[in-house]
Amino acid sequence: MPAPISLRRYYDVNGWFFVVPALGLIAVFMIYPIIWSLWMSFQTGRGLVMHFGGLANIVRLTEDPVFQLALTNTILFFVIQVPIMLTLALFTAVLLDDPKLKFAGLIRTAIFLPCVMSLVVYSVIFKSMFVDDGVVNRALAAVGAISGPIPWMSDPFWARVLLIVAITWRWTGYNMIFYLAALQNIDRSIYEVARIDGVPATARFFRLTVPMLKPVILFTTVTSTIGTLQLFDEARNIVASDTSAGTAGPGDSVLTLSVYIYNLTFRFMPSFGYAATVSYVIVILVALLSFVQFTVARERD
Amino acid sequence: MSDLKLVDVSKSFGAVEILKKINLDVKAGEFIVFVGPSGCGKSTLLRLIAGLEEITAGELVIGGKRMNDIDPSHRGLAMVFQSYALNPHMTVAENMGFALKFAGLPSAEIRARVLSAAHILDLEPLLQRRPKALSGGQRQRVAIGRAIVRQPKVFLFDEPLSNLDAGLRVHMRIEIAKLHRQLGVTTVYVTHDQVEAMTLADRIVVLRAGEVEQIGSPLDLYDNPANLFVAGFIGSPKMNLLPAIVTRTADGRPALRIPDIGDALVALPDRAPRLEDGRAVYIGIRPEQFCVDGSAEFDLAIDIVEHLGGTTFVYARKGSSAAIVVETRDGRAHKSGDAIAVRFDPASLYLFDADGGRIRSAAFGQPNA
Amino acid sequence: MPLPRLLNRIGVYGFLGAMALLSVFPFIWMIVGTTNSTGDIILGHLGLGHAFLDNTQKFFTQANAPLIFWNSAKISLLGTALTLAVSSVAGYGFEIFRSPGRDWLYAGLLLTIMIPFAVLMIPLFMIMGRLGLINTHIAIILPTVASGFVIFYFRQATKAFPSELRDAARVDGLKEWQIFLYIYIPTMRSTYAAAFVIVFMATWNNYLWPLIVLQTNEMKTITLVISSLASAYYPDYGVVMVGALVATLPTLIVFFAMQRQFVQGMLGAIK
Ligand SMILES: Nc1ncnc2c1ncn2[C@@H]1O[C@H](COP(=O)(O)OP(=O)(O)O)[C@@H](O)[C@H]1O
Ligand SMILES: [Mg+2]
């Protein structure tokens, strides 16, 4: 018979035993880097020669047109892309949720399929589809939508449109799956009663479906926003005209914060402190936007 | 087989005290049932005995040894859970032999024990199946088999029959009773179903809100409830409990006035103790204690009649008061809306204080008077 | 069928059909593209061509395809196995052995999920430098082994693990690690399958961190190779398409073989 130790202590020791390996790794590869990078954001200098610069990096942010362009681009992307994508995903999910719909499974699988492709792979495939004489411009011309080829790769405006189209392609099905799962958890009799009561279809959607899906809509909004704020793979691979120079798209039109941080760190003469400062701009944006979205969702209650 | 003793056992989760100073002496071979409403702490008490929760204060002694800090598997007991707790990825035989493997028994011995338990429980044809391919009753038997093979000194059951349908429940109840007679192992059994408690137990422990209300044999609790709670909890349909006020009859004899049946006066037996006038009490009368030759009589209006064939339950009331349940053996003619005259013997009444305590007296609570 | 309902049906099927077609088209384009020469691809040629062997051969010679594929497979499988091991143990631990201290740590852990990788990459790069792990595959695997997200996923899933199975095992005399090994893992197989799918996808497709750490060609992953092939001034798209197909096939196979777990894994987080 083992020496009697208190049961509570036995379970407590076991509890630590189970979580310590993960906590150790997270301390080394997560917490330590977070703190280090915060510390670095107050350092200035090039390469490994760094010294304390106080708020110098923050001042530099306000004077750096490239940073401001990257910030504008990043914000532009999620402000336009996230609502388009989520609306599309919700709309598709509601249509697919109809139990009488034929081929629903097949259509759902097809729309979900883009999630299987890696970000880099789909980026290069889009790149090949959107070249000047490529398949997309030809298709648009064939249906008479355009008179000349759209300069997706060389015009800043169209390059941004391309990026938004591409991201929407990749993630709509992903978000749709969340909505579908939530819709399937809704008791159908709620809709049946509403129909018997004569509630019209649009009112059923806005008064019943949307409020019941609120937690999922919030979840997808937050995750999509965080994802878009960290945009890197696509920005660097779809329209990257010249990676060796570190530009992203014509006139840096698809330069995002993450690409800029990468360039600051690994492309030019490294500016670690300043790059860390820019990375904390993303942290602040993520925190701010998540907070705003949670508050908005709560107030609507 | 082992005796089991709880001394002032208390349990708190955080600041909330769930069990308060429980004392209990279980004799070797005894079948003890914990019964009480859901949430009263029955499972917690069982889990304290099993060692799945830590005892906050007090002592647990099994077979003369203090067990508070002993690992569950070294307490010499086996437990059967409400959900059966069968491992879905193992066959019946593997499930039953699982604990023995970890106890380091040789595989021949394991096989022998599993086979013998399977024989007792009629599980032989099912040994190679997985739990998914078994019915509820079969899973229940596997769960019991898993406990038997360990040859424990104490069996613990936590609502083992709650997931079964009514017919199987009765069947398994009888199986468990037979098993106990056959093996004679000390058993602690938790249920919220008083019928199960009555039919299985040597002694019943009635719990309410973490405290023992009464301990006794089934008939003892039925005939002699210690308080209003036990009186109301044991017996089905429930004992009729009505507020009453002590008063006097016109000729000055002590009596009870019962507002719920139209302020009826019931003269108390001569031997009744003196109770001061105006005192508020409760009277209790079991449905079957209404009889044809009692001295107290009222007229009630029948609400609902439940014909069970052999007996009939009549739910009747006076005005808007709560319904009174009357059991009769020749009530086939009764129907809803009729009037019924009910009689009982005042000597068969149970009398309780306003705060629920029993007023004991040789004059009352004589069910067979 | 009355006319408005008919029009409504046509609208619904038209919309969903278009969505489905647009979603699948790039896959078709990729497959067709492997058979076309680069010249045909940039002219939007949609039919099957004759350049498949040529493209494939070029991909294998230019990129040392078997080695690259092996690199990706090794990193993904090893990384996924380690991640599932360490993170499922932790998720189980946080759920089963509750204590105020660990609950606080767990809350902190959840916050780390929100941290953008951009914040970590410079210090991580320096740490790997100090450990002498630059340009190694271990450096790719190590930082993701303890994943806040996967721990969260397993803790949520553990809430559905019947506590009576654990209690019964304790009464049966199993040690806590034995309960995890012999009861929890077999019972939670579908949870592991779903987690395997999502973690494998993430590591197989990882781009930014390998881009930073892996510097020589023979260490690179398929994602990196495709990216660099496509970023040439005149990309050889025929070759790129073959690479894209090779990179997509494993995830596509996993998807079709384990579609239920795939979806379940993605949804797991919010259940
Ligand atoms: N692990 C626990 N933590 C906190 N409270 C608990 C825990 N287990 C049980 N309780 C509480 O203790 C009380 C008794 O529970 P239990 O013993 O399961 O009741 P019963 O089995 O009689 O229905 C309940 O109020 C329950 O909420
Ligand atoms: Mg219980």
Side-chain angles (χ1 to χ4, degrees):
Chain A
M1 197 174 289
I5 63 158
S6 128
L7 279 173
R8 193 183 326 145
R9 267 209 37 223
Y10 173 70
Y11 289 138
D12 199 47
V13 169
N14 268 287
W16 287 115
F17 170 78
F18 274 83
V19 300
V20 151
L23 288 178
L25 285 166
I26 281 176
V28 176
F29 296 115
M30 196 93 201
I31 307 301
Y32 177 48
I34 290 172
I35 295 167
W36 191 353
S37 137
L38 186 63
W39 179 80
M40 264 197 291
S41 68
F42 294 102
Q43 307 280 312
T44 57
R46 303 230 135 193
L48 293 172
V49 195
M50 296 209 284
H51 47 86
F52 186 73
L55 299 179
N57 284 329
I58 295 173
V59 175
R60 185 170 162 192
L61 285 178
T62 63
E63 296 162 350
D64 177 359
V66 185
F67 163 72
Q68 282 154 20
L69 178 63
L71 182 65
T72 319
N73 285 340
T74 307
I75 291 176
L76 193 76
F77 286 137
F78 84 75
V79 166
I80 297 176
Q81 194 269 331
V82 173
I84 292 177
M85 172 184 66
L86 294 186
T87 313
L88 201 58
L90 183 57
F91 189 58
T92 317
V94 170
L95 292 184
L96 275 178
D97 189 42
D98 179 355
K100 290 201 282 289
L101 192 80
K102 295 203 175 60
F103 309 117
L106 200 66
I107 297 171
R108 190 187 57 217
T109 304
I111 297 177
F112 183 73
L113 208 56
C115 291
V116 171
M117 225 181 233
S118 89
L119 303 184
V120 168
V121 167
Y122 97 83
S123 297
V124 303
I125 289 173
F126 267 64
K127 190 177 181 181
S128 75
M129 284 162 46
F130 282 81
V131 289
D132 280 350
D133 297 318
V135 67
V136 173
N137 275 338
R138 273 171 197 266
L140 289 174
V143 297
I146 52 171
S147 51
I150 295 177
W152 303 101
M153 297 290 166
S154 47
D155 180 84
F157 171 79
W158 288 111
R160 289 182 183 130
V161 173
L162 167 57
L163 203 71
I164 288 171
V165 168
I167 301 167
T168 307
W169 177 82
R170 174 64 169 71
W171 295 103
T172 300
Y174 173 82
N175 289 290
M176 179 194 76
I177 288 291
F178 284 88
Y179 295 145
L180 262 179
L183 283 170
Q184 266 143 26
N185 282 338
I186 296 178
D187 182 1
R188 289 230 170 259
S189 58
I190 292 177
Y191 288 106
E192 284 159 2
V193 169
R195 281 181 67 175
I196 291 166
D197 291 351
V199 181
T202 44
R204 290 202 297 267
F205 178 73
F206 285 108
R207 298 289 172 81
L208 295 177
T209 310
V210 173
M212 283 188 285
L213 292 191
K214 211 178 74 177
V216 197
I217 295 177
L218 177 66
F219 174 84
T220 51
T221 312
V222 172
T223 49
S224 305
T225 308
I226 294 177
T228 316
L229 280 173
Q230 300 193 48
L231 205 60
F232 180 83
D233 299 19
E234 292 93 329
R236 204 160 175 277
N237 284 296
I238 295 186
V239 268
S241 32
D242 187 356
T243 37
S244 54
T247 60
D252 267 344
S253 51
V254 296
L255 180 76
T256 60
L257 288 173
S258 291
V259 175
Y260 187 45
I261 294 165
Y262 177 83
N263 288 345
L264 281 172
T265 316
F266 299 105
R267 276 289 145 206
F268 317 129
M269 179 66 186
S271 192
F272 294 128
Y274 185 53
T277 311
V278 179
S279 77
Y280 267 92
V281 172
I282 303 185
V283 176
I284 290 165
L285 282 176
V286 167
L288 215 60
L289 288 164
S290 309
F291 177 76
V292 168
Q293 284 161 350
F294 274 108
T295 347
V296 168
R298 179 146 348 125
E299 270 169 14
R300 292 249 177 89
D301 262 338
Chain B
M1 199 178 357
S2 219
D3 60 345
L4 185 154
K5 208 153 113 180
L6 298 172
V7 185
D8 285 340
V9 166
S10 302
K11 173 67 184 174
S12 307
F13 287 114
V16 196
E17 193 169 41
I18 300 293
L19 292 169
K20 293 157 204 146
K21 298 222 173 204
I22 307 284
N23 284 287
L24 177 67
D25 242 317
V26 182
K27 289 190 283 291
E30 205 175 10
F31 199 118
I32 289 282
V33 175
F34 294 165
V35 71
S38 166
C40 69
K42 308 176 296 283
S43 296
T44 306
L45 186 52
L46 197 71
R47 292 164 61 81
L48 290 182
I49 297 172
L52 293 169
E53 303 282 356
E54 194 178 38
I55 295 173
T56 308
E59 273 207 340
L60 167 70
V61 180
I62 301 175
K65 247 200 291 304
R66 186 179 187 272
M67 289 288 176
N68 288 42
D69 291 324
I70 304 294
D71 187 85
S73 60
H74 293 100
R75 295 185 180 197
L77 39 79
M79 183 158 172
V80 176
F81 293 83
Q82 178 176 351
S83 69
Y84 319 135
L86 300 179
N87 298 306
H89 56 287
M90 298 179 196
T91 63
V92 168
E94 284 165 348
N95 262 297
M96 284 169 64
F98 193 56
L100 303 182
K101 212 164 82 186
F102 284 90
L105 262 63
S107 54
E109 164 83 7
I110 295 178
R111 205 166 46 240
R113 284 208 207 174
V114 169
L115 281 177
S116 118
H119 179 73
I120 295 174
L121 292 161
D122 258 344
L123 286 170
E124 282 143 323
L126 306 177
L127 281 174
Q128 294 316 315
R129 295 227 194 135
R130 279 170 208 268
K132 240 200 317 233
L134 300 179
S135 70
Q138 291 168 336
R139 283 181 210 178
Q140 179 61 73
R141 291 214 299 278
V142 177
I144 294 173
R146 179 178 173 178
I148 291 178
V149 296
R150 300 189 56 204
Q151 304 180 346
K153 296 196 199 76
V154 179
F155 272 128
L156 307 178
F157 290 87
D158 191 356
E159 310 226 7
L161 307 182
S162 300
N163 286 354
L164 299 177
D165 61 48
L168 261 178
R169 200 145 60 209
V170 175
H171 175 73
M172 284 308 296
R173 197 169 79 203
I174 294 166
E175 294 285 304
I176 290 177
K178 273 203 268 187
L179 203 67
H180 179 248
R181 221 181 33 217
Q182 197 175 341
L183 303 175
V185 176
T186 316
T187 302
V188 183
Y189 186 107
V190 164
T191 179
H192 65 267
D193 177 357
Q194 54 96 21
V195 177
E196 244 167 65
M198 295 291 283
T199 50
L200 283 170
D202 291 326
R203 281 193 300 153
I204 296 177
V205 178
V206 182
L207 288 167
R208 176 167 66 145
E211 289 183 278
V212 174
E213 293 283 315
Q214 191 172 0
I215 303 178
S217 76
L219 290 180
D220 201 25
L221 296 189
Y222 191 82
D223 293 341
N224 227 334
N227 51 44
L228 204 57
F229 177 78
V230 176
F233 194 80
I234 303 285
S236 173
K238 279 175 59 155
M239 181 189 281
N240 295 294
L241 295 165
L242 304 169
I245 291 162
V246 177
T247 179
R248 278 167 198 283
T249 56
D251 54 0
R253 285 174 45 208
L256 292 170
R257 187 161 53 78
I258 308 170
D260 274 359
I261 33 184
D263 274 341
L265 273 194
V266 176
L268 293 177
D270 296 336
R271 295 176 299 152
R274 290 199 53 88
L275 300 170
E276 67 273 26
D277 285 0
R279 177 167 170 187
V281 297
Y282 284 93
I283 61 164
I285 179 156
R286 295 213 181 267
E288 75 272 18
Q289 286 173 330
F290 292 99
C291 56
V292 287
D293 55 353
S295 63
E297 177 176 356
F298 328 85
D299 290 316
L300 300 174
I302 298 181
D303 252 357
I304 288 172
V305 185
E306 288 179 348
H307 293 294
L308 300 185
T311 64
T312 301
F313 293 115
V314 176
Y315 295 78
R317 67 172 80 223
K318 187 111 186 176
S320 60
S321 60
I324 292 169
V325 192
V326 178
E327 180 180 350
T328 71
R329 297 201 67 82
D330 42 27
R332 292 197 171 205
H334 292 306
K335 53 184 196 299
S336 175
D338 285 357
I340 181 174
V342 299
R343 306 171 71 98
F344 63 86
D345 178 355
S348 69
L349 281 183
Y350 295 91
L351 218 55
F352 301 97
D353 251 338
D355 62 12
R358 175 89 180 274
I359 302 174
R360 285 183 189 276
S361 151
F364 302 121
Q366 303 303 320
N368 307 313
Chain C
M1 200 183 277
L3 191 63
R5 280 233 358 244
L6 187 68
L7 287 179
N8 177 300
R9 288 278 97 171
I10 293 176
V12 167
Y13 279 105
F15 174 79
L16 291 177
M19 286 288 288
L21 183 67
L22 289 176
S23 298
V24 175
F25 181 75
F27 286 86
I28 299 170
W29 175 251
M30 169 178 76
I31 292 165
V32 170
T34 58
T35 71
N36 280 318
S37 69
T38 296
D40 281 341
I41 290 171
I42 59 173
L43 289 175
H45 184 68
L46 264 173
L48 289 175
H50 303 283
F52 180 71
L53 286 179
D54 190 35
N55 288 337
T56 310
Q57 196 197 2
K58 270 197 253 168
F59 176 65
F60 273 73
T61 51
Q62 281 176 13
N64 194 356
L67 178 68
I68 298 302
F69 190 86
W70 165 241
N71 288 345
S72 274
K74 187 176 80 179
I75 291 172
S76 307
L77 289 175
L78 199 64
T80 307
L82 285 173
T83 305
L84 290 196
V86 170
S87 299
S88 72
V89 166
Y92 176 86
F94 277 119
E95 179 58 25
I96 297 288
F97 307 99
R98 307 288 301 273
S99 84
R102 281 188 295 272
D103 281 353
W104 276 109
L105 283 172
Y106 181 74
L109 190 75
L110 288 189
L111 282 181
T112 66
I113 298 178
M114 302 270 251
I115 296 293
F117 183 71
V119 172
L120 310 175
M121 70 187 189
I122 306 168
L124 275 181
F125 182 72
M126 294 175 167
I127 291 172
M128 293 306 165
R130 284 188 197 174
L131 296 175
L133 293 176
I134 298 295
N135 202 29
T136 65
H137 292 159
I138 302 171
I140 307 291
I141 293 171
L142 264 184
T144 57
V145 166
S147 148
F149 175 77
V150 183
I151 293 171
F152 171 69
Y153 176 75
F154 271 98
R155 182 173 186 172
Q156 293 301 104
T158 304
K159 291 183 197 297
F161 174 65
S163 63
E164 292 193 341
L165 284 185
R166 179 201 67 208
D167 288 340
R170 281 181 184 164
V171 175
D172 279 353
L174 272 73
K175 303 263 185 304
E176 295 304 314
W177 65 268
Q178 290 172 322
I179 296 176
F180 181 82
L181 211 58
Y182 299 121
I183 312 280
Y184 180 81
I185 292 182
T187 313
M188 305 296 278
R189 265 187 302 211
S190 69
T191 302
Y192 276 91
F196 171 84
V197 172
I198 41 175
V199 176
F200 177 82
M201 290 277 296
T203 42
W204 178 264
N205 293 334
N206 199 0
Y207 173 60
L208 175 50
W209 181 233
L211 176 69
I212 294 169
V213 172
L214 301 181
Q215 297 175 336
T216 57
N217 281 334
E218 72 277 4
M219 295 305 283
K220 287 194 170 158
T221 62
I222 191 150
T223 314
L224 293 180
V225 169
I226 291 168
S227 169
S228 69
L229 283 175
S231 62
Y233 202 74
Y234 292 111
D236 191 340
Y237 280 116
V239 178
V240 170
M241 291 300 166
V242 173
L245 184 63
V246 170
T248 309
L249 270 182
T251 54
L252 209 57
I253 290 168
V254 169
F255 173 69
F256 280 113
M258 307 170 70
Q259 201 168 348
R260 200 174 49 80
Q261 286 89 343
F262 202 101
V263 171
Q264 195 190 330
M266 298 218 154
L267 296 175
I270 57 163
K271 278 281 168 65

